[in-house]
Amino acid sequence: MNLTLNQVISEGHTRILCWYLNNTSKVQIARITNIPNWYFERTVFPGERFLFEALPEAQLEVCRSADTGSIVCERILCDRLRVEELSTAD
């Protein structure tokens, strides 16, 4: 049975708002790989930042090509990419 993203997340899971910035000069591919039946993949251009919703335990895998021609990937826990809301004192 295939589940859509909304079905996977709506089953009692708390979504968090996350952001990522590509601060390299290379095009990157960002994807979430550790949540079953969930497909999220995006091309991220140099200097681009984007917002996305994810589960706190999701991992964003970011891959780019290295100067040697190999592919370099890093994984970042989405909870570390959470957007923090600042409170303002009246």
Side-chain angles (χ1 to χ4, degrees):
M1 175 179 165
N2 289 333
L3 298 175
T4 65
L5 173 62
N6 289 337
Q7 288 173 318
V8 171
I9 292 179
S10 66
E11 294 177 1
H13 297 286
T14 302
R15 293 185 252 181
I16 58 172
L17 183 62
C18 305
W19 73 282
Y20 177 76
L21 166 66
N22 178 356
N23 59 2
T24 73
S25 61
K26 305 276 187 182
V27 172
Q28 297 177 333
I29 303 296
R31 63 180 156 242
I32 293 177
T33 58
N34 68 320
I35 304 296
N37 302 312
W38 186 358
Y39 180 78
F40 175 85
E41 185 172 286
R42 180 170 175 144
T43 302
V44 189
F45 293 95
E48 182 182 1
R49 73 181 66 183
F50 70 94
L51 293 170
F52 63 99
E53 286 187 329
L55 302 176
E57 65 270 17
Q59 292 179 0
L60 186 70
E61 180 181 76
V62 180
C63 300
R64 64 176 170 80
S65 62
D67 294 333
T68 61
S70 62
I71 303 295
V72 177
C73 296
E74 67 174 305
R75 289 190 176 143
I76 308 164
L77 188 61
C78 288
D79 194 47
R80 297 188 68 202
L81 300 173
R82 181 189 302 241
V83 173
E84 296 292 334
E85 185 177 337
L86 296 176
S87 62
T88 57
D90 293 356

